[in-house]
Amino acid sequence: MDIYEAIKKRRSVRSYRSNPISNEVLMRILDTARFAPSSHNSQEYKLIVVKDPGRIEEIAKAAFEVDFIKEAPIVIAGVSLNTNDVMENNVPSYPVNVAIILDHIALLAVAEDLGSCWITSFDQEEMKEILNVPEEYKIVALLTLGMPYDDATIKTRKKLGEIVCFESFKDKD
């Protein structure tokens, strides 16, 4: 599958089959994702891969009882190790860096006929406790990973002209 197809096929999966993900596939996804860019090539993040169903259930509870998380055979937490770094454009680098690697994982999952879903609604302190994340770090997002239960639905997207401006910002064409 080429990158264009993977991007178009990627969707938020909220229902997973019970099929496990092979270690070979998981390691191929993680190994390839580590080539994701980061600010100053700092790679100041950790990915916590959770496979234990009991721990995944705890994660679902800390994510405000989002039940479909329990269906996923894998949950990956993207943790920033440096929440103080600010890029030259005055934007914190840590959410950007973690988002890039998690998005790479989401696209690689599609290439492996797997699905994923971003989870950003959770109790930070409770999730840190479940995953043993030190206080000074921040869990930016979680990503469920597994074989989708249903076929892809057609994604609706705005027209290109509604989201792209050339040369300068324009509210409307």
Side-chain angles (χ1 to χ4, degrees):
M1 173 179 309
D2 73 17
I3 190 70
Y4 293 96
E5 185 180 356
I7 290 170
K8 287 180 179 179
K9 283 180 108 175
R10 198 232 46 92
R11 64 189 175 97
S12 294
V13 174
R14 292 182 178 86
S15 183
Y16 295 96
R17 296 182 186 276
S18 59
N19 307 41
I21 298 172
S22 76
N23 230 23
E24 178 185 336
V25 168
L26 176 61
M27 295 311 291
R28 184 169 46 243
I29 288 170
L30 295 171
D31 187 52
T32 305
R34 72 186 173 88
F35 289 95
S38 62
S39 176
H40 305 291
N41 194 29
S42 62
Q43 300 173 326
E44 292 187 89
Y45 43 68
K46 289 274 189 190
L47 299 174
I48 302 172
V49 179
V50 180
K51 296 181 180 181
D52 177 68
R55 185 159 288 179
I56 290 174
E57 193 163 321
E58 289 180 60
I59 287 170
K61 285 180 186 171
F64 309 116
E65 305 286 339
V66 175
D67 282 341
F68 77 84
I69 293 173
K70 293 185 258 185
E71 294 178 20
I74 294 176
V75 176
I76 300 172
V79 181
S80 174
L81 306 180
N82 182 354
T83 59
N84 297 318
D85 188 52
V86 176
M87 297 180 288
E88 289 79 6
N89 64 358
N90 203 30
V91 173
S93 64
Y94 77 91
V96 175
N97 292 336
V98 173
I100 292 169
I101 193 166
L102 289 179
D103 199 52
H104 276 51
I105 291 170
L107 292 174
L108 290 161
V110 172
E112 296 285 352
D113 293 322
L114 298 173
S116 64
C117 188
W118 286 74
I119 310 293
T120 56
S121 182
F122 55 85
D123 183 290
Q124 182 73 218
E125 297 312 311
E126 192 175 344
M127 200 65 73
K128 281 182 177 181
E129 189 173 315
I130 292 166
L131 298 173
N132 299 311
V133 174
E135 183 58 37
E136 66 269 22
Y137 302 147
K138 186 157 307 243
I139 302 169
V140 176
L142 307 172
L143 192 72
T144 56
L145 197 61
M147 185 170 289
Y149 190 76
D150 55 359
D151 292 331
T153 56
I154 296 174
K155 292 192 294 190
T156 57
R157 291 293 186 248
K158 292 182 178 181
K159 292 181 180 179
L160 191 60
E162 293 180 71
I163 62 169
V164 175
C165 304
F166 290 93
E167 307 305 334
S168 67
F169 183 87
K170 296 175 188 148
D171 266 339
K172 299 179 186 208
D173 269 345

